[in-house]
Amino acid sequence: MLEFSRLKVIWLWVITLVAAAAAIPSITATMGLALPAGIYAPKVNLGLDLAGGSHILLEADPSQVRQQRIEGMDESVRNKLKQANPDIRISDISNRDGALTFLVEDPSKVDAVREAILPLTNGAGLTGARDWTINVIDGNRFVLTPTPEGIDLAVAQAMETAVEVVRKRIDALGTREPTIIRSGPNRIVVQVPGLQDPQALKNLLGQTAKLEFKLVDTTALQSDIQRGQAPPGSEIVPYAAGKDGAPVGSIAVKRLGGIRGDQLTNAQVTNNQQTNEPQVAITFNTEGGARFAKLTTQNVNKPFAIILDGKVLSAPNINEPILGGSAVISGNFTTQAASNLAISLRSGALPVDLKVVEERTVGPDLGADSIRKGMIAMAVGTLALVAFILAVYGRFGMYACIALVFNVLMILGIMALIGTTLTLPGIAGFVLTIGAAVDANVLINERIREERHRGRRVFQAVEMGYKEASRAIFDANITNVIAAVSMAAFGTGPVRGFAIVLLIGIATSVFTAVTMTRMWVAQWLRKARPTEIAL
C-alpha cells in the first residue's frame, strides 16, 4: 500500500498537474486577466444563472396538429384509392370542420373503400383506441375524424420532434449547453446562456422552415385570386412581404403533386453572381433529387412556386430540367435572414408552429452577484475546513488540505476540458464536494489513530489505516455515484448541472484524498522514519 515506484509517482503527478493547469484559464478569466494569444485555454462555461442570457417559453397550437393530420389523411386517401384496381372514384372532398369527408361515386364500392383506407389508421399508443374513426353516412359518404387519443399522441410526437429541431438550431448558433426541455403537453422552455439579445433567437425559433415546391395554377384568374377564390384542386398562397414590409399579392398553386423540403441534405448561404444578393443553395438526398428532377422535367416552361412557411418566396419559370439534385432559393433576403433560413433548413422543419409566450433576459450583473456569493460561500467553507483539519490532524491534516486545493483545481480543469457548464447549483455541488473530500481523510486518519492505539507501529498503522478505510470510502462514494448518475441521466438544467459537478468531484476527491495523500505520506515516512506520529 505504501510502495510507489518512480514511474507511478511521475504518472500521478502528471495527471494531477495537467488537470489542475486546465483550471488556470477559467481562474484568470474570473479575475479579469487575459492569457497570451495562441495558448490553448479551455474555460468553464457559465450557465444562465451565472453568465446571464435569454429565457424563452414556446407554445404550440394543438389545433394545428389536428389540421395537419387531416390534410395528411386527405392526401393518403387520394393516393390509396388511385392505386386501387380498378380505380375508385371519389368526389366532394372536404377537410374542413375538423374531419375529412368525401363521396364514393359508386355506392357498390363502399366496402372496398373501407378496406383500402382502414390500414391508414393505427392504434393510439397504449390507450386501446384508434387514432381515427371511420363512419359512413347516407350510404356512400365517408367521414374520417381524428380521435382525442390520436390527437394527443400526434401532439406528443410533434413536440418531441420540435425539441430536437430547436436543439439543432441553437447548436448551429455556436452556443454551449443550452437548456431545452418540454413544459407541459405543448410548451418548450429554452434557456441560452450568454445571449443577451433574444430577438435573433426568437426569429430563428419562430421560423417553422416548412419548405415546399408547388406548381403554379396558370388557369387561375387574377380577379378570382384577389377575391380569394381558387380553381378546384388549387389554393391561394400569399407572397412574402418585401424588404419594406409591404405585401406583394398572392398566387394560386396546385394543392397536390408538389415536393416538400424534408429531404434536404444541406443548405448554405451563397451570393448571386449577378446581383451579389444573398441566397440559399440547397441540396436534396437521392430520393428528393429524383423527385425534383421528375417535377422539373415534366413541367418545362411552367412556373413553380417556392413556398416557405405558407409564403411564396419566388415563382420562377422552369426553363429546363434540373437534374443535379440542387437548387437555389432567392427572395430578397438580408444576410442574417439567409443565414437563419439555411440553419433552419439544415436543422429540419418544425412539425408545428411555435409561438413565443414568455421571454426574459437575465443580466450579467445578476450572474456576477451569484458568482460572488457562491465564491464567498466556498471560501468560508474551505477556510473552516482547513482550520479544523490542521488543528486536529497536524501533518496529516496538511496533506489533506493540499489534496483539497488540488481537488478544487482538478474539478475546474476537468469541467473546462470536457466543455461542461457551471450553474449556481453547480457551485453548491462544489461546496458539497469540498466537505465530502475531507471525509475520506477523516476516515483514514481516524483509522490510523485506532491502529496506533492497538499497538501497531507507525508504518503498519498507516498502511492498515489506508487499506481498511479505503473500503468504506469506495463503498460510500459508489452510492453517491449512483445518485449522481441518475440525476445526470434523468435531470435537466440545474439538476443536471449539480449532478455533473458532483460526479467529477467524487472522482477527483477519491483520487486526491486517497491516492495522492497516500503517496505523500509514504514519501515522508521513508524519508523521516518517525517512531511516533501526532494523531
Side-chain angles (χ1 to χ4, degrees), residues 29-304:
T30 303
M31 298 171 62
L33 303 176
L35 294 176
I39 296 179
Y40 175 64
K43 296 180 182 178
V44 176
N45 303 308
L46 299 181
L48 184 70
D49 48 3
L50 298 181
S54 296
H55 169 101
I56 293 178
L57 180 62
L58 304 170
E59 184 179 56
D61 184 3
S63 63
Q64 186 185 22
V65 177
R66 181 187 186 94
Q67 187 60 31
Q68 287 177 350
R69 286 183 58 79
I70 294 174
E71 292 175 356
M73 179 62 78
D74 182 354
E75 188 170 354
S76 298
V77 168
R78 291 174 186 264
N79 293 334
K80 192 74 172 179
L81 297 183
K82 282 182 180 179
Q83 296 170 3
N85 191 13
D87 186 21
I88 301 176
R89 298 181 62 84
I90 59 176
S91 60
D92 195 18
I93 305 172
S94 172
N95 56 21
R96 300 173 182 174
D97 300 327
L100 172 64
T101 64
F102 59 89
L103 191 69
V104 180
E105 295 183 357
D106 185 354
S108 65
K109 294 183 178 180
V110 168
D111 291 337
V113 171
R114 180 184 290 275
E115 291 180 4
I117 66 176
L118 187 60
L120 299 178
T121 67
N122 299 286
L126 302 177
T127 62
R130 305 291 293 181
D131 56 353
W132 289 84
T133 59
I134 301 176
N135 297 310
V136 181
I137 60 176
D138 299 332
N140 62 340
R141 177 174 291 278
F142 276 79
V143 180
L144 279 67
T145 308
T147 63
E149 294 82 3
I151 293 297
D152 291 342
L153 179 62
V155 170
Q157 293 173 341
M159 295 306 295
E160 289 176 3
T161 303
V163 168
E164 293 306 313
V165 172
V166 168
R167 190 182 307 279
K168 289 179 182 178
R169 293 185 183 181
I170 293 178
D171 289 344
L173 290 175
T175 57
R176 290 190 175 186
E177 295 293 332
T179 298
I180 305 169
I181 56 176
R182 286 184 59 184
S183 176
N186 63 327
R187 289 186 170 187
I188 301 175
V189 175
V190 179
Q191 295 179 342
V192 184
L195 184 65
Q196 301 302 322
D197 181 11
Q199 188 58 46
L201 182 64
K202 288 166 55 181
N203 293 340
L204 181 63
L205 300 184
Q207 188 174 43
T208 307
K210 181 182 179 182
L211 183 66
E212 298 174 292
F213 300 87
K214 293 186 175 183
L215 292 174
V216 176
D217 189 346
T218 55
T219 66
L221 299 176
Q222 189 62 37
S223 58
D224 292 337
I225 294 176
Q226 292 177 354
R227 290 195 298 268
Q229 297 177 354
S234 297
E235 61 182 343
I236 296 175
V237 182
Y239 275 94
K243 289 184 178 180
D244 57 357
V248 289
S250 303
I251 62 172
V253 298
K254 299 288 187 180
R255 196 154 58 88
L256 301 177
I259 297 176
R260 294 179 181 176
D262 56 0
Q263 294 177 319
L264 298 180
T265 59
N266 196 15
Q268 297 290 340
V269 178
T270 62
N271 287 327
N272 188 305
Q273 295 183 354
Q274 296 179 348
T275 64
N276 203 36
E277 291 187 348
Q279 57 189 15
V280 179
I282 60 175
T283 304
F284 290 96
N285 60 18
T286 302
E287 181 182 353
R291 294 181 60 186
F292 192 69
K294 182 179 179 181
L295 173 70
T296 55
T297 300
Q298 295 178 347
N299 296 279
V300 174
N301 296 323
K302 294 181 181 179
F304 77 112

Side-chain angles (χ1 to χ4, degrees), residues 191-499:
Q191 295 179 342
V192 184
L195 184 65
Q196 301 302 322
D197 181 11
Q199 188 58 46
L201 182 64
K202 288 166 55 181
N203 293 340
L204 181 63
L205 300 184
Q207 188 174 43
T208 307
K210 181 182 179 182
L211 183 66
E212 298 174 292
F213 300 87
K214 293 186 175 183
L215 292 174
V216 176
D217 189 346
T218 55
T219 66
L221 299 176
Q222 189 62 37
S223 58
D224 292 337
I225 294 176
Q226 292 177 354
R227 290 195 298 268
Q229 297 177 354
S234 297
E235 61 182 343
I236 296 175
V237 182
Y239 275 94
K243 289 184 178 180
D244 57 357
V248 289
S250 303
I251 62 172
V253 298
K254 299 288 187 180
R255 196 154 58 88
L256 301 177
I259 297 176
R260 294 179 181 176
D262 56 0
Q263 294 177 319
L264 298 180
T265 59
N266 196 15
Q268 297 290 340
V269 178
T270 62
N271 287 327
N272 188 305
Q273 295 183 354
Q274 296 179 348
T275 64
N276 203 36
E277 291 187 348
Q279 57 189 15
V280 179
I282 60 175
T283 304
F284 290 96
N285 60 18
T286 302
E287 181 182 353
R291 294 181 60 186
F292 192 69
K294 182 179 179 181
L295 173 70
T296 55
T297 300
Q298 295 178 347
N299 296 279
V300 174
N301 296 323
K302 294 181 181 179
F304 77 112
I306 303 174
I307 304 172
L308 178 69
D309 293 344
K311 300 291 180 65
V312 176
L313 297 178
S314 61
N317 201 61
I318 304 175
N319 296 323
E320 59 184 9
I322 303 175
L323 307 178
S326 60
V328 173
I329 302 175
S330 58
N332 295 323
F333 295 123
T334 62
T335 302
Q336 184 61 48
S339 177
N340 286 348
L341 176 58
I343 291 174
S344 300
L345 293 177
R346 286 198 304 269
S347 305
L350 286 168
V352 62
D353 294 341
L354 296 177
K355 180 177 65 175
V356 177
V357 294
E358 177 188 341
E359 62 173 294
R360 64 176 183 267
T361 300
V362 179
D365 293 340
L366 180 60
D369 185 61
S370 299
I371 295 175
R372 183 179 60 82
K373 291 181 179 179
M375 291 300 151
I376 292 174
M378 186 184 301
V380 171
T382 302
L383 290 175
L385 279 172
V386 167
F388 172 80
I389 204 79
L390 287 175
V392 176
Y393 298 113
R395 174 181 287 274
F396 285 73
M398 180 186 65
Y399 292 143
C401 292
I402 297 173
L404 186 62
V405 173
F406 277 114
N407 180 43
V408 172
L409 292 176
M410 289 179 71
I411 294 175
L412 282 174
I414 293 173
M415 290 183 66
L417 288 172
I418 64 178
T420 57
T421 297
L422 179 64
T423 60
L424 193 58
I427 293 180
F430 250 115
V431 177
L432 179 62
T433 300
I434 291 173
V438 178
D439 286 347
N441 292 112
V442 171
L443 288 173
I444 292 169
N445 294 335
E446 289 298 326
R447 186 69 186 191
I448 293 173
R449 181 180 289 174
E450 290 178 6
E451 296 298 330
R452 286 291 292 154
H453 289 166
R454 292 176 182 176
R456 293 185 184 275
R457 289 179 294 180
V458 172
F459 276 80
Q460 292 178 331
V462 172
E463 185 169 4
M464 290 300 297
Y466 273 97
K467 181 178 179 180
E468 297 299 327
S470 295
R471 298 176 183 175
I473 292 169
F474 285 115
D475 288 345
N477 280 285
I478 285 174
T479 58
N480 290 334
V481 166
I482 293 173
V485 168
S486 299
M487 287 190 290
F490 302 108
T492 56
V495 174
R496 190 169 183 269
F498 173 82

